[in-house]
C-alpha cells in the first residue's frame, strides 16, 4: 500500500504440509483485518493447489495471534 508492504505472510512446506512460518503487519496497518485476509487468501490458494491441511506454530503467550487463528478456524493440538 502506497509503495510499502502493509503485511507479509511466509508459508513453507514442512514434510509436504504447508506451514505458516511468519505473519507481519506494519504498525499503521494493524487492526484493519489485513492479516486475516492474508491467511484466508493463502488458505484458499493452498486448497485450490490440493492442500487440505495447513499448520502453524505460535507461542502460548501470543494471545492476539491465537485469537486471530482461532477466529479463522485453526484448532490447537
Amino acid at each position: 500500500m502506497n509503495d510499502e508492504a502493509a503485511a507479509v505472510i511466509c508459508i513453507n512446506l514442512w514434510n509436504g504440509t504447508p506451514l505458516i512460518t511468519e505473519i507481519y503487519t506494519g504498525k499503521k496497518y494493524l487492526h484493519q483485518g489485513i492479516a486475516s485476509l492474508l491467511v484466508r487468501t493463502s488458505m484458499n490458494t493452498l486448497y485450490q493447489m490440493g492442500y487440505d491441511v495447513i499448520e502453524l506454530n505460535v507461542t502460548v503467550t501470543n494471545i492476539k495471534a491465537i485469537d486471530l487463528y482461532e477466529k479463522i478456524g485453526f484448532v490447537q493440538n
Side-chain angles (χ1 to χ4, degrees), residues 11 17-20 42-43 46 51-56 74:
I11 302 173
T17 300
L19 174 68
I20 297 174
S42 298
M43 290 171 66
L46 289 163
Y51 296 100
D52 57 358
V53 173
I54 303 168
E55 296 183 357
L56 59 86
F74 283 88

Side-chain angles (χ1 to χ4, degrees), residues 3-4 7 19 21 24 27 29-31 34-35 40 44-45 47 51-53 57-59 64-65 68 77:
D3 294 328
E4 66 180 333
L19 174 68
T21 56
Y24 168 80
K27 286 186 181 183
Y29 299 104
L30 291 172
H31 309 294
I34 296 173
R40 290 177 196 278
N44 288 336
T45 299
Y47 182 76
Y51 296 100
D52 57 358
V53 173
N57 296 312
V58 62
T59 58
K64 289 181 183 180
L68 168 71
N77 287 336

Side-chain angles (χ1 to χ4, degrees), residues 58-68:
V58 62
T59 58
V60 295
T61 58
N62 194 343
I63 302 303
K64 289 181 183 180
I66 293 170
D67 288 344
L68 168 71

